[in-house]
Structures are given as structure tokens and as C-alpha cells.
């Protein structure tokens, strides 16, 4: 995947689309603003994050929550 400014272009496009669609983006339960896209890309690419989608009363997606997934260590 191509990189833009050191970040995965696919991730940047995904985050921009969420904002364009009017969705809230939360990373570890903290709401992120549009101007934080570079910061969000940096954080998300550094670890494994799972996407959880928040659904409104009429079934539409209203927010995307990124929750860090702890990697299991093998002994």
C-alpha cells in the first residue's frame, strides 16, 4: 500500500471518509478531531487496533471506536 507522509495511504483515506460521512472517531474512548488525522495515523499504525461501530437508533453507523488489541505473548 502506498504511503503518504510516512503513513499508510489506505488508513488516511479511511479516516478521511469517516469524517466526510459525519462519523465520530474515538481512539481508546477519546474523541478525535479532523485536525488530528496525522496523530491518529501514527497511533493506529504503531499497534493493533480493532474497529467497533456504534449504531444509532435508526440503524445507521454514528461512530467508529478504535480499541487496542493486546497481543498475546507465547511462553
Amino acid at each position: 500500500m502506498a504511503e503518504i507522509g510516512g503513513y499508510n495511504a489506505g488508513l488516511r483515506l479511511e479516516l478521511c471518509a469517516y469524517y466526510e460521512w459525519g462519523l465520530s472517531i474515538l481512539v481508546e474512548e477519546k474523541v478525535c478531531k479532523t485536525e488530528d488525522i496525522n496523530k491518529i495515523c501514527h497511533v493506529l499504525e504503531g499497534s493493533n487496533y480493532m474497529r467497533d461501530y456504534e449504531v444509532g437508533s435508526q440503524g445507521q453507523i454514528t461512530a467508529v471506536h478504535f480499541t487496542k488489541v493486546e497481543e498475546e505473548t507465547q511462553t
Side-chain angles (χ1 to χ4, degrees), residues 10-26 34 37 40 44 51-53 61-66:
L11 178 58
R12 178 180 298 280
L13 291 172
E14 176 186 355
L15 294 171
C16 289
Y18 292 151
Y19 283 120
E20 196 173 295
W21 298 332
L23 305 180
S24 297
I25 297 175
L26 294 89
T34 307
I37 286 183
I40 299 168
L44 295 179
R51 290 158 182 79
D52 290 314
Y53 300 94
I61 296 173
T62 58
V64 181
H65 296 253
F66 287 88

Side-chain angles (χ1 to χ4, degrees), residues 4-68:
I4 298 174
Y7 302 116
N8 182 298
L11 178 58
R12 178 180 298 280
L13 291 172
E14 176 186 355
L15 294 171
C16 289
Y18 292 151
Y19 283 120
E20 196 173 295
W21 298 332
L23 305 180
S24 297
I25 297 175
L26 294 89
V27 177
E28 296 296 326
E29 300 302 320
K30 294 181 183 176
V31 177
C32 300
K33 299 178 183 175
T34 307
E35 57 269 12
D36 294 337
I37 286 183
N38 285 338
K39 182 178 174 183
I40 299 168
C41 284
H42 179 72
V43 168
L44 295 179
E45 287 192 339
S47 298
N48 292 324
Y49 280 83
M50 174 178 66
R51 290 158 182 79
D52 290 314
Y53 300 94
E54 186 176 310
V55 179
S57 60
Q58 297 180 345
Q60 77 284 14
I61 296 173
T62 58
V64 181
H65 296 253
F66 287 88
T67 306
K68 190 172 184 176

